[in-house]
């Protein structure tokens, strides 16, 4: 393990998926990663999350950022400390079993198919930029993939990385029951069906009667139809 990597929780089984987060703000991740599905997966040893603080990798007198060549506003994250961290990370797995993801507004939109593909790897590395971004030479030195959450700009890559981390990790084998994953939105190219729970009637709105019938075949048929209707109404581009 790299000297500056911090494992979230002590594991007692074989890890099947490793996430490395390169960031100036590792404290952003720990509370979220320790909760819910990701936290339970870490506890069971399915997933290992390691943080690499860029500040810990700086040499005496070195900065994490500098002004951009050619002038202009803001600061650019320097390549040297990032390269030292990535060199150490990349020693742990074969390139074909690893992805290096850089959240960026100039990246392609991140989708469910991307999460599914990344979840089948062995190691996922997030490099979170700040300020005016990361020195462009990062992409020339490492096989990075740039992804965006949409056509908007955030202060840094940490929140976007958290969203992609959550979408991916929940699909790793063993993180969730297979039935839960296979019936979700986008898993079959459509949106998920509507969901209801108690009470059966609230402010004059009833739960569809078929869901209370106990007839599993009819319930499954209703859900398939409701899924198609929802997709047609809200996301016709998926049909």
């Amino acid at each position: 393990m790299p000297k500056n990597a911090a494992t979230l929780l002590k594991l007692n089984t074989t890890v099947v998926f490793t996430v490395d987060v390169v960031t100036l703000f590792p404290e952003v991740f720990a509370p979220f990663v320790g909760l819910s599905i990701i936290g339970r997966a870490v506890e069971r040893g399915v997933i290992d999350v390691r943080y690499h603080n860029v500040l810990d990798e700086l040499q005496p007198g070195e900065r994490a950022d500098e002004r951009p060549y050619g002038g202009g506003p803001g600061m650019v994250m320097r390549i040297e400390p990032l390269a030292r961290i990535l060199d150490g990370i990349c020693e742990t797995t074969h390139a074909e079993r690893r992805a290096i993801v850089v959240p960026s507004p100039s990246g392609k939109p991140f989708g469910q198919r991307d999460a599914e593909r990344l979840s089948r790897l062995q190691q996922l590395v997030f490099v979170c930029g700040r300020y005016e971004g990361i020195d462009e030479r990062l992409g020339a030195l490492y096989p990075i993939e740039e992804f965006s959450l949409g056509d908007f700009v955030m202060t840094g890559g940490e929140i976007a990385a958290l969203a992609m981390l959550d979408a991916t990790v929940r699909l790793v084998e063993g993180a969730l029951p297979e039935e839960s994953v296979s019936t979700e939105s986008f898993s079959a190219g459509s949106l998920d069906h509507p969901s209801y729970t108690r009470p059966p009637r609230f402010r004059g709105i009833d739960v569809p009667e078929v869901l209370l019938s106990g007839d599993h075949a009819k319930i499954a048929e209703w859900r398939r139809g409701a899924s198609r209707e929802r997709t047609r109404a809200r996301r016709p581009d998926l049909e």
Side-chain angles (χ1 to χ4, degrees):
M1 180 183 300
K3 64 179 180 180
N4 59 348
T7 303
L8 179 63
L9 294 173
K10 184 177 181 181
L11 306 178
N12 52 21
T13 56
T14 301
V15 173
V16 299
F17 193 82
T18 300
V19 179
D20 288 276
V21 182
V22 181
T23 175
L24 286 166
F25 301 98
E27 60 272 17
V28 171
F29 290 84
F32 181 85
V33 171
L35 299 173
S36 189
I37 293 169
I38 300 179
R40 290 196 295 270
V42 172
E43 287 181 326
R44 295 199 308 273
V46 176
I47 297 159
D48 188 16
V49 181
R50 309 183 295 188
Y51 306 111
H52 307 262
N53 191 331
V54 178
L55 298 180
D56 292 340
E57 193 60 40
L58 297 181
Q59 297 178 351
E62 189 178 33
R63 295 175 54 97
D65 61 342
E66 284 287 358
R67 295 188 180 279
Y69 282 130
M75 306 290 279
V76 177
M77 290 187 68
R78 297 177 62 250
I79 187 64
E80 288 118 318
L82 297 177
R84 286 194 292 268
I85 295 172
L86 288 174
D87 286 347
I89 292 174
C90 292
E91 292 177 351
T92 61
T93 55
H94 295 293
E96 63 271 16
R97 300 293 297 155
R98 176 182 64 243
I100 302 175
V101 171
V102 178
S104 169
S106 62
K108 71 175 185 177
F110 185 83
Q112 186 71 11
R113 295 295 174 261
D114 298 303
E116 292 171 354
R117 175 178 60 84
L118 295 175
S119 73
R120 293 191 289 269
L121 300 176
Q122 182 180 345
Q123 184 179 30
L124 178 58
V125 183
F126 287 103
V127 182
C128 300
R130 279 270 158 173
Y131 317 120
E132 289 299 308
I134 300 173
D135 190 304
E136 187 69 16
R137 288 170 289 188
L138 183 73
L141 294 171
Y142 303 93
I144 67 171
E145 298 185 56
E146 291 187 279
F147 286 110
S148 168
L149 294 187
D151 294 336
F152 56 91
V153 177
M154 294 188 291
T155 306
E158 283 77 14
I159 295 175
L162 274 172
M164 298 177 201
L165 169 63
D166 183 77
T168 300
V169 164
R170 63 198 310 281
L171 300 177
V172 173
E173 185 177 358
L176 277 177
E178 176 61 29
E179 181 182 4
S180 298
V181 175
S182 62
T183 59
E184 292 180 325
S185 290
F186 308 112
S187 60
S190 61
L191 300 181
D192 199 2
H193 57 75
S195 297
Y196 298 87
T197 189
R198 292 183 174 87
R201 183 179 178 84
F202 183 70
R203 295 183 179 179
I205 304 174
D206 293 321
V207 172
E209 186 175 346
V210 65
L211 298 180
L212 307 176
S213 69
D215 189 324
H216 296 294
K218 289 185 177 179
I219 292 173
E221 182 180 359
W222 179 89
R223 285 175 170 169
R224 287 192 295 269
S227 173
R228 289 192 296 268
E229 290 178 10
R230 173 177 280 190
T231 303
R232 189 175 301 113
R234 301 183 184 183
R235 291 293 304 275
D237 57 296
L238 295 177
E239 291 191 311

